[in-house]
Amino acid sequence: MTRPMEDLLDTAERIRSMEIRGAALIGRAAAGALKEFALAIEPSGIDEFNAEVGRAAEILLDTRPTAVSLSNAIRMVMRYRGDDLDSARSSLANNADQFVERSLKAIERIGEIGSRRIRDGDVILTHCNSSVALSIIRTAHDSGKEIKVIATESRPRYQGHLTIKMLDGWGIETELVVDSAVRTVINEVDEVIVGADVITANGSLVNKIGTAQIALAAHESRTSFMVAAETYKFSPETIMGELVPIEMRAAEEVYPKISELKHVRVRNPAFDVTPHQYIDVICTEVGAIPPEMSYLIIKEMLGWEIEGRVR
Ligand code: RUB
């Protein structure tokens, strides 16, 4: 027997607990979960179908507040059409498949575009674990360029450990540093490459906590700062004046025994904002653009009308 709501809640929980993490994967997982849900439910008619998938979309949207890939993915999937159950179901499933395909192709294309900016012998610093930033690094390596990567640990969740294992598997020379060593090593770095959770209308970047400090160090030392972001990481909401919500996570992620202390609290923001002035280039699947062009990407690629938005 299929249990569509249980399965959907299970995916939502895996996103919330970060078993499924990284903005691109979160978007694809949500699109896939919505598709599976739509194919498995047995509503009495089209109105009930619309209401049930609408509820499912809201549950997924509530998992992690920052990554716009989640709301963009869900909005693309929810643009299904159909007057009857069968056509609505297949339209929704098609949209989900298209999102997943578009995401995977975009990551590959960004790898090709971004890797052209890497020279033989370059030292690259990356933060957290971004599948898109790593696509650039891997493509540069695969094309025969000798590169070295410096990877930060990315406290408190140590996504840097995922990054170094991946780089090791691809045979790329890598050095792991603690987050606070960035200023010490930055003069050896040719370019910083990071991923994105959100690009705002003015070209600023929201990414893993610590990214803004790295950008500051890169700016001061005249080191190039590159962002790898598919166009569905750009936020239409920010054109409408909305601020990007920064996810606050549990204190225990930073200090597990916090409950033993009476006068201390932990602040654990998962992301920070890097001003566009510190970004040299954003590599998207439609080209390497200056951050100032972000407004155009949102307008051309995503449509920024408020109507029809999930939220
Ligand atoms: C992950 C993170 C990544 C971006 C981009 O944060 O900040 O840099 O999501 O990743 P978390 P990708 O671990 O909290 O999800 O390029 O894979 O989309």
Side-chain angles (χ1 to χ4, degrees):
M1 200 176 80
T2 58
R3 305 170 69 184
M5 188 42 93
E6 280 82 348
D7 289 349
L8 185 106
L9 289 171
D10 179 58
T11 303
E13 187 44 39
R14 291 200 293 143
I15 294 174
R16 193 173 288 115
S17 66
M18 291 175 58
E19 187 187 323
I20 296 172
R21 52 147 299 281
L25 189 56
I26 290 172
R28 291 199 300 274
L34 214 46
K35 170 184 158 180
E36 295 309 323
F37 179 80
L39 294 178
I41 52 176
E42 291 168 355
S44 58
I46 184 72
D47 291 342
E48 200 176 312
F49 176 83
N50 292 339
E52 283 193 39
V53 293
R55 264 197 301 279
E58 291 292 337
I59 290 171
L60 291 166
L61 278 169
D62 274 339
T63 52
R64 292 198 73 189
T66 299
V68 75
S69 54
L70 182 60
S71 55
N72 278 340
I74 289 175
R75 192 168 57 254
M76 287 178 202
V77 175
M78 292 297 282
R79 277 195 194 134
Y80 66 89
R81 294 278 170 265
D83 298 330
D84 58 76
L85 263 181
D86 282 351
S87 55
R89 256 197 244 275
S90 78
S91 165
L92 187 151
N94 265 335
N95 289 353
D97 290 344
Q98 266 179 32
F99 178 82
V100 172
E101 199 187 315
R102 178 179 157 182
S103 165
L104 296 172
K105 274 201 184 130
I107 295 171
E108 200 183 319
R109 185 82 186 117
I110 292 169
E112 290 162 10
I113 293 173
S115 65
R116 295 201 186 111
R117 302 179 71 98
I118 297 175
R119 290 150 307 181
D120 200 28
D122 274 1
V123 176
I124 298 160
L125 185 139
T126 192
H127 184 52
C128 193
N129 176 257
S130 157
S131 57
V132 194
L134 286 168
S135 169
I136 294 179
I137 293 169
R138 187 181 187 181
T139 310
H141 170 76
D142 288 351
S143 68
K145 290 175 188 164
E146 287 259 345
I147 52 171
K148 180 186 144 182
V149 177
I150 299 179
T152 56
E153 284 181 315
S154 313
R155 265 192 55 81
R157 296 291 297 248
Y158 297 101
Q159 288 92 333
H161 292 182
L162 298 171
T163 296
I164 59 169
K165 282 181 205 151
M166 291 166 86
L167 291 165
D168 186 60
W170 300 328
I172 299 176
E173 193 194 333
T174 302
E175 200 171 23
L176 177 70
V177 295
V178 297
D179 298 336
S180 41
V182 167
R183 185 63 192 88
T184 301
V185 300
I186 197 75
N187 287 327
E188 298 164 28
V189 174
D190 295 292
E191 57 259 326
V192 174
I193 308 181
V194 293
D197 280 84
V198 186
I199 306 285
T200 67
N202 75 352
S204 295
L205 163 71
V206 181
N207 191 49
K208 180 53 53 197
I209 191 81
T211 304
Q213 274 175 199
I214 297 172
L216 207 57
H219 185 72
E220 191 234 1
S221 64
R222 309 280 187 272
T223 303
S224 156
F225 189 92
M226 190 197 296
V227 180
E230 315 87 299
T231 50
Y232 59 81
K233 306 270 180 70
F234 288 66
S235 165
E237 286 82 359
T238 58
I239 282 198
M240 307 311 299
E242 298 246 353
L243 297 172
V244 177
I246 300 293
E247 176 182 5
M248 288 293 186
R249 294 193 60 90
E252 288 73 15
E253 286 188 347
V254 178
Y255 191 77
K257 294 183 174 173
I258 189 67
S259 60
E260 294 174 5
L261 305 181
K262 283 196 194 66
H263 307 289
V264 181
R265 70 185 179 98
V266 170
R267 194 187 303 188
N268 184 17
F271 303 99
D272 63 20
V273 182
T274 299
H276 59 93
Q277 295 91 333
Y278 296 159
I279 298 169
D280 290 290
V281 65
I282 304 177
C283 282
T284 75
E285 73 273 24
V286 293
I289 63 159
E292 291 73 20
M293 261 182 70
S294 298
Y295 171 86
L296 276 182
I297 293 282
I298 296 173
K299 201 164 177 315
E300 300 291 320
M301 304 294 297
L302 296 156
W304 53 281
E305 74 286 357
I306 199 96
E307 285 82 19
R309 306 192 62 70
V310 180
R311 262 183 198 170

